[in-house]
Amino acid sequence: MTAVPAVEALLFDVFGTVVDWRGSIARLGAAFAEGRDLPPVDWAAFADAWRARYQPAMAEVREGRRPFVRLDVLHRENLDAILADFGLESLSAAERDELNLFWHRLDPWPDSVAGMTRLKRRLILAAQSNGNIGLIVDMAKYGGLPWDVVLGAEVVGAYKPRPEAYLGACERLGRAPGRCLMVAAHNDDLAAAADCGLRTAFVRRPEEKAPGETYDLVPTGDWDLVVDSLDELADRLGC
Amino acid sequence: MTAVPAVEALLFDVFGTVVDWRGSIARLGAAFAEGRDLPPVDWAAFADAWRARYQPAMAEVREGRRPFVRLDVLHRENLDAILADFGLESLSAAERDELNLFWHRLDPWPDSVAGMTRLKRRLILAAQSNGNIGLIVDMAKYGGLPWDVVLGAEVVGAYKPRPEAYLGACERLGRAPGRCLMVAAHNDDLAAAADCGLRTAFVRRPEEKAPGETYDLVPTGDWDLVVDSLDELADRLGC
């Protein structure tokens, strides 16, 4: 690790880095099932199955086989694809829409709001997520995430880890990539950002992982910073 | 005026509605001149001359004679065009860049931050300005404007009052136009928003105007709300 980077803007990965998508989807699913006549569902497994289709769906766009569509659309298609595996194929269109909005109400990790609030005093906080604008805005209102600006796939027209996603975000902020720090719990996201000249911070989020998953538990690159929370990131950046 | 509209998101015009562009440019210009060997300049007149080229420059884009370019680019071209009229043609490229960034540091009207802070508790606050993303973000950091999301021309790819600007903003938020309220000190902005199905609030900002200017001093349409400040808007919307 090098000296503390002199950056002006933080670009955040959101799913897994700032919010607990897995635990939230599982909790929201269980709450949805209450009082409904549904077969028993392992909602954590449901969350994992839904998320497993996330990268392949974006790959269709990233690799040019499909024009850009926002993540809400991909989430809904992926939901339709997994429902039968959980005995939920009888859910109505309105119920599927309701499930799809679970992604708009993901809980922040316990340190996220406090850490971001400190970081925001001195730095620009940009959501640089594959989530669409409305999703990220709804999530911020729900969880109190103090973004300065919502960038991300729908603003730049490209899904991470395409280089246009990182370079486009820096360009929209009017900052050189070296003045921007990508914050993520995922090594591939940071590797792509570093290739574009951004600085990097790895946040350890072991609780994002399903039992037995071992990827992204440790940093695998020479990231500028490695932290266990956004509070620690604020400490390290002197905020 | 009708009953208080049941909206979820407020789309704000920024220049003149939230911030005092005329007074700020005049103050920043006077500060810039201090200690420099420049001819005497009427900086309020300079602000007016710069702003007078704003609509014609955007018209080139709106009417399809020029591809979309961000407002920073138009501001810089307009600056270059007026400098000689004020005896400032000798300014270097770096000095011109410095002047151009005046638009990133405009002071909020005295009621803006307090009113927006109240409104933000219950509603989505979106900047729907012709200013580009970096400009609006820098201004928010400078003045403490608590946006939830920065939309505007650079996100939707169209300058107001093109209908795509308003409809695109609502669409990015995932809200029907009737759930969005356009907040502006300018009747033409509200008229275009109303034509797209948005609700409307006119904010009286007489201090935006140069002495003798009479347009936009009073509401000229049947707007849903007419207020004298963003604090009053918060009152009226029950925030």
Side-chain angles (χ1 to χ4, degrees):
Chain A
M1 282 188 280
T2 53
V4 174
V7 295
E8 298 172 26
L10 305 183
L11 308 186
F12 286 81
D13 174 64
V14 176
F15 299 121
T17 301
V18 177
V19 299
D20 174 16
W21 62 267
R22 187 169 187 273
S24 300
I25 296 288
R27 282 188 290 278
L28 290 163
F32 175 84
E34 272 184 40
R36 277 189 170 83
D37 184 25
L38 298 178
V41 171
D42 176 343
W43 287 101
F46 183 88
D48 289 332
W50 203 351
R51 179 75 171 184
R53 292 177 175 266
Y54 170 71
Q55 290 296 345
M58 289 188 296
E60 294 296 302
V61 175
R62 279 197 292 252
E63 293 160 20
R65 292 189 293 276
R66 181 177 185 179
F68 182 84
V69 290
R70 62 176 58 156
L71 190 61
D72 274 344
V73 173
L74 300 179
H75 274 156
R76 177 58 193 274
E77 294 172 358
N78 294 343
L79 175 67
D80 289 340
I82 64 166
L83 284 174
D85 295 340
F86 292 86
L88 297 172
E89 62 277 9
S90 66
L91 291 184
S92 68
E95 287 171 319
R96 293 170 190 223
D97 288 345
E98 185 179 342
L99 260 68
N100 211 44
L101 289 174
F102 285 0
W103 295 94
H104 293 223
R105 287 187 292 140
L106 304 179
D107 292 314
W109 295 112
D111 54 274
S112 292
V113 173
M116 290 171 70
T117 301
R118 290 173 60 197
L119 291 160
K120 185 180 168 98
R121 288 183 213 144
R122 189 170 67 75
L123 298 163
I124 294 168
L125 304 193
Q128 180 57 21
S129 169
N130 285 330
N132 45 288
I133 297 170
L135 184 160
I136 297 293
V137 170
D138 286 346
M139 180 198 292
K141 296 300 271 188
Y142 167 78
L145 300 172
W147 301 118
D148 287 308
V149 56
V150 176
L151 298 174
E154 195 177 9
V155 173
V156 301
Y159 282 114
K160 296 185 297 178
R162 294 280 305 182
E164 310 92 275
Y166 307 94
L167 295 172
C170 300
E171 194 264 346
R172 300 304 193 283
L173 293 175
R175 263 74 183 178
R179 293 290 179 182
C180 298
L181 178 80
M182 186 73 210
V183 181
H186 311 122
N187 287 290
D188 61 347
D189 202 353
L190 296 179
D195 283 346
C196 293
L198 284 77
R199 311 304 293 263
T200 50
F202 183 86
V203 189
R204 286 191 186 90
R205 293 296 191 196
E207 295 179 62
E208 183 191 5
K209 305 296 178 290
E213 285 184 348
T214 56
Y215 65 93
D216 283 338
L217 290 178
V218 296
T220 59
D222 185 25
W223 315 134
D224 292 298
L225 296 165
V226 175
V227 296
D228 285 305
S229 69
L230 299 187
D231 255 325
E232 187 184 349
L233 183 63
D235 291 341
R236 297 288 299 279
L237 291 172
C239 292
Chain B
M1 283 188 279
T2 53
V4 174
V7 295
E8 298 173 25
L10 305 183
L11 307 186
F12 284 83
D13 174 63
V14 176
F15 299 121
T17 300
V18 176
V19 298
D20 173 17
W21 62 268
R22 188 170 187 272
S24 300
I25 297 287
R27 283 188 289 278
L28 290 163
F32 174 85
E34 272 183 40
R36 277 188 170 83
D37 185 23
L38 298 178
V41 170
D42 176 343
W43 289 101
F46 182 88
D48 290 332
W50 203 350
R51 178 76 171 184
R53 290 176 176 266
Y54 171 70
Q55 290 296 345
M58 289 188 297
E60 294 296 303
V61 175
R62 278 196 293 253
E63 293 161 20
R65 293 188 294 275
R66 182 177 185 178
F68 183 83
V69 290
R70 63 176 56 156
L71 190 61
D72 274 344
V73 173
L74 300 179
H75 275 156
R76 177 58 194 273
E77 293 172 358
N78 293 344
L79 174 67
D80 289 341
I82 65 166
L83 284 174
D85 295 340
F86 292 86
L88 297 172
E89 62 278 8
S90 66
L91 291 184
S92 69
E95 287 171 320
R96 292 170 191 223
D97 287 346
E98 186 179 341
L99 261 68
N100 211 44
L101 288 175
F102 286 178
W103 294 93
H104 295 222
R105 288 188 291 141
L106 304 179
D107 293 313
W109 296 112
D111 55 275
S112 292
V113 173
M116 290 171 69
T117 300
R118 290 174 59 197
L119 291 160
K120 184 180 170 99
R121 288 183 213 144
R122 189 170 66 76
L123 298 163
I124 294 169
L125 306 192
Q128 180 57 20
S129 167
N130 284 330
N132 45 288
I133 297 170
L135 183 160
I136 296 294
V137 170
D138 286 346
M139 182 199 291
K141 296 299 271 188
Y142 168 78
L145 300 171
W147 301 118
D148 286 308
V149 57
V150 175
L151 298 174
E154 194 178 10
V155 173
V156 301
Y159 282 114
K160 295 185 297 181
R162 293 281 305 182
E164 310 93 274
Y166 307 94
L167 295 173
C170 300
E171 194 264 347
R172 299 306 192 284
L173 293 175
R175 262 75 185 178
R179 293 289 180 183
C180 298
L181 177 80
M182 186 74 210
V183 182
H186 311 121
N187 287 290
D188 61 347
D189 202 353
L190 296 179
D195 283 346
C196 294
L198 284 78
R199 312 302 295 263
T200 50
F202 183 86
V203 188
R204 287 192 184 89
R205 293 295 192 196
E207 294 179 62
E208 184 191 4
K209 305 295 180 290
E213 285 184 349
T214 55
Y215 63 94
D216 284 337
L217 291 177
V218 296
T220 58
D222 185 24
W223 315 134
D224 291 298
L225 296 165
V226 175
V227 296
D228 285 306
S229 69
L230 299 186
D231 255 326
E232 187 184 350
L233 183 63
D235 292 340
R236 296 289 298 278
L237 291 172
C239 294

